[in-house]
Amino acid sequence: MGAIDGVIDVWAQVTTERMAAQPWLATLRRWTAQEGKPLVPSVEQTLAAMDAGGVGISLLSAWYGPQGPLITNEEVAAQIEAAPARFRGLASADIRHPAEAAREIRRWVDGQRFVGVRVVPWLWDLPPNDRRYYPLYAACVELGVPLCTQIGHTGPLLRSETGRLIPHLEDVLLDFPELVVVGGHVGFPWIDELITLTIKFRNFHVDTSAYAVHRLPASFVDYMKGIGAGRVMFGTNWPMLSPAKCLAQLAALGLDEAQADAFLAGNARRVFKL
Protein backbone atom coordinates (compact mmCIF):
# COMPACT_ATOMS: atom_id res chain seq x y z
CA MET A 1 0.00 0.00 0.00
CA GLY A 2 2.10 2.87 -1.26
CA ALA A 3 -0.02 5.58 0.36
CA ILE A 4 0.06 4.22 3.91
CA ASP A 5 2.66 6.71 5.20
CA GLY A 6 0.59 9.58 3.90
CA VAL A 7 -2.84 8.55 5.18
CA ILE A 8 -5.34 11.38 5.70
CA ASP A 9 -7.91 11.01 8.47
CA VAL A 10 -10.90 13.17 7.54
CA TRP A 11 -12.85 12.81 10.82
CA ALA A 12 -11.06 13.26 14.14
CA GLN A 13 -11.38 15.53 17.14
CA VAL A 14 -9.35 16.39 20.20
CA THR A 15 -12.25 16.18 22.61
CA THR A 16 -12.72 18.55 25.53
CA GLU A 17 -13.96 17.83 29.06
CA ARG A 18 -17.30 19.39 28.00
CA MET A 19 -17.72 16.92 25.17
CA ALA A 20 -16.47 13.92 27.15
CA ALA A 21 -19.11 14.60 29.82
CA GLN A 22 -22.03 14.25 27.40
CA PRO A 23 -24.31 11.34 28.38
CA TRP A 24 -24.84 10.28 24.78
CA LEU A 25 -21.21 9.14 24.60
CA ALA A 26 -22.04 6.17 26.84
CA THR A 27 -22.87 3.80 23.96
CA LEU A 28 -19.72 4.76 22.07
CA ARG A 29 -17.61 4.13 25.16
CA ARG A 30 -19.22 0.71 25.53
CA TRP A 31 -18.81 -0.26 21.88
CA THR A 32 -15.14 0.79 21.86
CA ALA A 33 -14.33 -0.76 25.27
CA GLN A 34 -13.48 2.63 26.77
CA GLU A 35 -15.92 2.68 29.67
CA GLY A 36 -14.33 4.37 32.65
CA LYS A 37 -11.48 5.77 30.57
CA PRO A 38 -10.97 9.48 29.91
CA LEU A 39 -11.91 10.52 26.36
CA VAL A 40 -9.88 13.72 26.45
CA PRO A 41 -6.66 13.02 24.55
CA SER A 42 -3.86 15.57 24.42
CA VAL A 43 -2.44 16.84 21.16
CA GLU A 44 0.64 14.74 21.90
CA GLN A 45 -1.42 11.58 22.36
CA THR A 46 -3.28 12.35 19.15
CA LEU A 47 -0.03 12.73 17.23
CA ALA A 48 1.31 9.49 18.71
CA ALA A 49 -1.84 7.65 17.60
CA MET A 50 -1.50 9.16 14.13
CA ASP A 51 2.12 8.03 13.92
CA ALA A 52 1.19 4.52 15.04
CA GLY A 53 -1.38 4.28 12.26
CA GLY A 54 0.64 5.95 9.51
CA VAL A 55 -1.56 9.06 9.39
CA GLY A 56 0.13 12.17 8.07
CA ILE A 57 -2.74 14.65 8.39
CA SER A 58 -5.88 14.64 10.53
CA LEU A 59 -8.83 16.96 10.05
CA LEU A 60 -9.89 18.10 13.52
CA SER A 61 -13.55 19.00 14.01
CA ALA A 62 -15.18 21.73 16.02
CA TRP A 63 -18.51 20.68 17.58
CA TYR A 64 -21.46 22.98 18.22
CA GLY A 65 -24.88 21.83 19.43
CA PRO A 66 -27.96 23.06 21.28
CA GLN A 67 -26.12 22.62 24.58
CA GLY A 68 -23.46 25.07 23.39
CA PRO A 69 -19.99 24.61 21.93
CA LEU A 70 -18.42 21.26 22.81
CA ILE A 71 -15.21 22.01 20.90
CA THR A 72 -14.88 25.63 19.82
CA ASN A 73 -13.24 26.90 16.66
CA GLU A 74 -10.76 28.68 18.91
CA GLU A 75 -9.83 25.39 20.56
CA VAL A 76 -9.35 23.72 17.18
CA ALA A 77 -7.19 26.65 16.04
CA ALA A 78 -4.95 26.15 19.09
CA GLN A 79 -4.68 22.43 18.32
CA ILE A 80 -3.65 23.22 14.74
CA GLU A 81 -1.09 25.74 15.99
CA ALA A 82 0.50 23.02 18.11
CA ALA A 83 1.23 20.87 15.00
CA PRO A 84 0.50 22.89 11.85
CA ALA A 85 2.04 20.33 9.50
CA ARG A 86 -0.15 17.52 10.86
CA PHE A 87 -3.53 19.12 11.51
CA ARG A 88 -6.20 20.95 9.54
CA GLY A 89 -9.51 22.14 10.93
CA LEU A 90 -13.22 21.80 10.20
CA ALA A 91 -15.12 24.76 11.61
CA SER A 92 -18.64 24.72 13.02
CA ALA A 93 -21.16 27.17 14.47
CA ASP A 94 -24.42 27.56 16.38
CA ILE A 95 -27.21 27.20 13.81
CA ARG A 96 -29.79 28.69 16.19
CA HIS A 97 -28.46 32.05 15.01
CA PRO A 98 -28.05 31.47 11.24
CA ALA A 99 -26.62 34.84 10.22
CA GLU A 100 -24.04 34.83 12.99
CA ALA A 101 -23.27 31.19 12.22
CA ALA A 102 -22.46 32.08 8.61
CA ARG A 103 -20.23 34.93 9.80
CA GLU A 104 -18.47 32.53 12.16
CA ILE A 105 -17.74 30.14 9.31
CA ARG A 106 -16.37 32.94 7.14
CA ARG A 107 -14.25 34.15 10.06
CA TRP A 108 -12.42 30.85 10.41
CA VAL A 109 -12.44 28.99 7.11
CA ASP A 110 -9.50 30.10 5.00
CA GLY A 111 -8.81 26.98 2.90
CA GLN A 112 -5.39 26.67 4.51
CA ARG A 113 -5.77 25.92 8.23
CA PHE A 114 -9.55 25.41 8.23
CA VAL A 115 -10.47 23.50 5.09
CA GLY A 116 -14.16 22.75 5.59
CA VAL A 117 -17.21 22.84 7.85
CA ARG A 118 -18.54 20.14 10.18
CA VAL A 119 -22.27 19.87 11.03
CA VAL A 120 -23.65 16.92 13.05
CA PRO A 121 -27.43 16.75 12.46
CA TRP A 122 -28.25 14.19 15.17
CA LEU A 123 -26.75 16.54 17.75
CA TRP A 124 -29.39 19.15 16.82
CA ASP A 125 -32.16 16.60 16.15
CA LEU A 126 -32.73 18.47 12.89
CA PRO A 127 -32.34 16.85 9.46
CA PRO A 128 -29.82 18.53 7.14
CA ASN A 129 -32.55 20.06 4.97
CA ASP A 130 -33.74 22.23 7.86
CA ARG A 131 -33.64 25.91 6.90
CA ARG A 132 -31.37 26.79 9.83
CA TYR A 133 -28.41 25.05 8.20
CA TYR A 134 -28.77 26.76 4.84
CA PRO A 135 -26.68 29.88 5.52
CA LEU A 136 -23.77 27.59 6.42
CA TYR A 137 -24.18 25.73 3.14
CA ALA A 138 -24.16 28.99 1.21
CA ALA A 139 -20.98 30.01 3.03
CA CYS A 140 -19.32 26.69 2.08
CA VAL A 141 -20.15 27.27 -1.59
CA GLU A 142 -18.83 30.84 -1.47
CA LEU A 143 -15.62 29.73 0.27
CA GLY A 144 -15.14 26.71 -1.99
CA VAL A 145 -14.87 24.17 0.85
CA PRO A 146 -16.69 20.91 1.64
CA LEU A 147 -19.54 20.44 4.07
CA CYS A 148 -18.80 17.46 6.32
CA THR A 149 -21.81 15.84 7.95
CA GLN A 150 -23.02 12.50 9.32
CA ILE A 151 -25.07 9.93 7.45
CA GLY A 152 -26.61 6.62 8.51
CA HIS A 153 -27.67 5.42 11.92
CA THR A 154 -26.71 7.32 15.05
CA GLY A 155 -24.43 5.50 17.48
CA PRO A 156 -25.35 7.63 20.50
CA LEU A 157 -28.81 7.11 21.97
CA LEU A 158 -30.40 9.79 19.82
CA ARG A 159 -32.65 9.59 16.75
CA SER A 160 -31.21 8.18 13.52
CA GLU A 161 -33.78 9.79 11.22
CA THR A 162 -31.53 12.84 10.75
CA GLY A 163 -29.01 10.55 9.03
CA ARG A 164 -31.31 9.40 6.24
CA LEU A 165 -29.87 10.31 2.87
CA ILE A 166 -33.21 10.43 1.01
CA PRO A 167 -34.99 12.78 1.26
CA HIS A 168 -33.04 14.89 3.77
CA LEU A 169 -29.53 15.07 2.29
CA GLU A 170 -30.84 14.74 -1.25
CA ASP A 171 -32.81 17.97 -0.74
CA VAL A 172 -29.57 19.75 0.21
CA LEU A 173 -27.73 18.44 -2.84
CA LEU A 174 -30.59 19.54 -5.08
CA ASP A 175 -30.79 23.00 -3.51
CA PHE A 176 -27.00 23.50 -3.58
CA PRO A 177 -25.66 21.80 -6.72
CA GLU A 178 -22.22 23.38 -6.22
CA LEU A 179 -21.89 22.20 -2.61
CA VAL A 180 -19.33 19.45 -2.00
CA VAL A 181 -20.63 17.10 0.70
CA VAL A 182 -18.69 14.46 2.66
CA GLY A 183 -21.06 12.16 4.54
CA GLY A 184 -19.36 10.54 7.52
CA HIS A 185 -19.92 7.15 9.19
CA VAL A 186 -20.61 5.13 6.02
CA GLY A 187 -24.39 5.57 5.76
CA PHE A 188 -25.47 2.13 7.00
CA PRO A 189 -28.18 0.83 6.83
CA TRP A 190 -29.06 2.96 3.81
CA ILE A 191 -26.35 1.74 1.42
CA ASP A 192 -28.74 1.68 -1.55
CA GLU A 193 -29.45 5.38 -0.92
CA LEU A 194 -25.69 5.99 -0.72
CA ILE A 195 -25.21 4.41 -4.15
CA THR A 196 -28.12 6.40 -5.57
CA LEU A 197 -26.69 9.73 -4.41
CA THR A 198 -23.26 8.78 -5.75
CA ILE A 199 -24.73 8.18 -9.20
CA LYS A 200 -26.86 11.31 -9.12
CA PHE A 201 -24.52 13.89 -7.56
CA ARG A 202 -20.89 14.20 -8.56
CA ASN A 203 -20.11 16.36 -5.50
CA PHE A 204 -21.20 13.71 -2.98
CA HIS A 205 -18.58 11.73 -1.04
CA VAL A 206 -18.45 9.51 2.03
CA ASP A 207 -15.96 8.60 4.75
CA THR A 208 -15.48 5.45 6.83
CA SER A 209 -15.19 7.13 10.23
CA ALA A 210 -16.53 5.19 13.24
CA TYR A 211 -15.67 1.88 11.55
CA ALA A 212 -12.60 -0.30 11.76
CA VAL A 213 -12.25 -1.35 8.12
CA HIS A 214 -12.83 -5.05 8.85
CA ARG A 215 -16.29 -4.10 10.20
CA LEU A 216 -17.41 -2.28 7.07
CA PRO A 217 -20.60 -3.80 5.59
CA ALA A 218 -19.87 -6.12 2.67
CA SER A 219 -22.09 -4.02 0.41
CA PHE A 220 -20.03 -0.94 1.29
CA VAL A 221 -16.76 -2.72 0.47
CA ASP A 222 -18.23 -3.65 -2.92
CA TYR A 223 -19.12 0.03 -3.35
CA MET A 224 -15.52 1.04 -2.53
CA LYS A 225 -14.25 -1.22 -5.29
CA GLY A 226 -16.79 0.01 -7.84
CA ILE A 227 -18.69 3.24 -8.26
CA GLY A 228 -17.45 4.58 -4.91
CA ALA A 229 -13.74 4.17 -5.62
CA GLY A 230 -13.31 7.88 -6.28
CA ARG A 231 -15.69 8.97 -3.49
CA VAL A 232 -14.65 7.11 -0.30
CA MET A 233 -12.18 8.57 2.23
CA PHE A 234 -10.62 7.18 5.36
CA GLY A 235 -11.73 8.47 8.76
CA THR A 236 -11.46 7.25 12.34
CA ASN A 237 -13.67 9.32 14.66
CA TRP A 238 -10.64 9.56 16.99
CA PRO A 239 -10.52 9.22 19.99
CA MET A 240 -13.40 6.73 19.73
CA LEU A 241 -11.20 4.62 17.42
CA SER A 242 -7.49 4.86 16.67
CA PRO A 243 -5.99 4.87 13.18
CA ALA A 244 -4.02 1.70 13.91
CA LYS A 245 -7.15 -0.17 15.00
CA CYS A 246 -9.14 1.09 12.02
CA LEU A 247 -6.48 -0.01 9.51
CA ALA A 248 -5.23 -3.21 11.16
CA GLN A 249 -7.01 -5.47 8.66
CA LEU A 250 -6.87 -3.21 5.60
CA ALA A 251 -5.39 -5.95 3.39
CA ALA A 252 -8.46 -8.13 3.95
CA LEU A 253 -10.59 -5.65 1.99
CA GLY A 254 -8.87 -6.75 -1.22
CA LEU A 255 -8.42 -3.24 -2.62
CA ASP A 256 -6.02 -2.88 -5.51
CA GLU A 257 -3.23 -0.30 -5.25
CA ALA A 258 -5.14 2.48 -6.99
CA GLN A 259 -8.25 1.90 -4.86
CA ALA A 260 -6.21 1.84 -1.64
CA ASP A 261 -4.30 5.01 -2.52
CA ALA A 262 -7.55 6.84 -3.32
CA PHE A 263 -9.20 5.63 -0.12
CA LEU A 264 -6.28 6.39 2.20
CA ALA A 265 -5.31 9.80 0.86
CA GLY A 266 -5.95 10.62 -2.79
CA ASN A 267 -9.67 11.37 -2.58
CA ALA A 268 -9.27 13.48 0.55
CA ARG A 269 -6.33 15.39 -0.88
CA ARG A 270 -8.40 16.28 -3.95
CA VAL A 271 -11.63 17.16 -2.16
CA PHE A 272 -10.05 19.20 0.65
CA LYS A 273 -7.29 20.65 -1.56
CA LEU A 274 -4.53 19.45 0.75
Side-chain angles (χ1 to χ4, degrees), residues 44-62:
E44 292 73 22
Q45 289 169 324
T46 301
L47 289 168
M50 291 167 61
D51 290 343
V55 172
I57 295 174
S58 288
L59 307 189
L60 301 180
S61 297

Side-chain angles (χ1 to χ4, degrees), residues 13 15-25 63 70-71 240:
Q13 46 269 311
T15 46
T16 62
E17 294 282 358
R18 299 186 307 281
M19 185 170 179
Q22 296 300 308
W24 41 257
L25 277 177
W63 278 63
L70 301 178
I71 308 174
M240 312 310 167

Side-chain angles (χ1 to χ4, degrees), residues 156-178:
L157 291 178
L158 295 167
R159 293 195 320 136
S160 292
E161 177 62 23
T162 58
R164 285 208 71 111
L165 291 88
I166 298 173
H168 306 316
L169 190 59
E170 184 182 46
D171 285 348
V172 175
L173 291 162
L174 288 168
D175 288 341
F176 294 88
E178 300 169 76

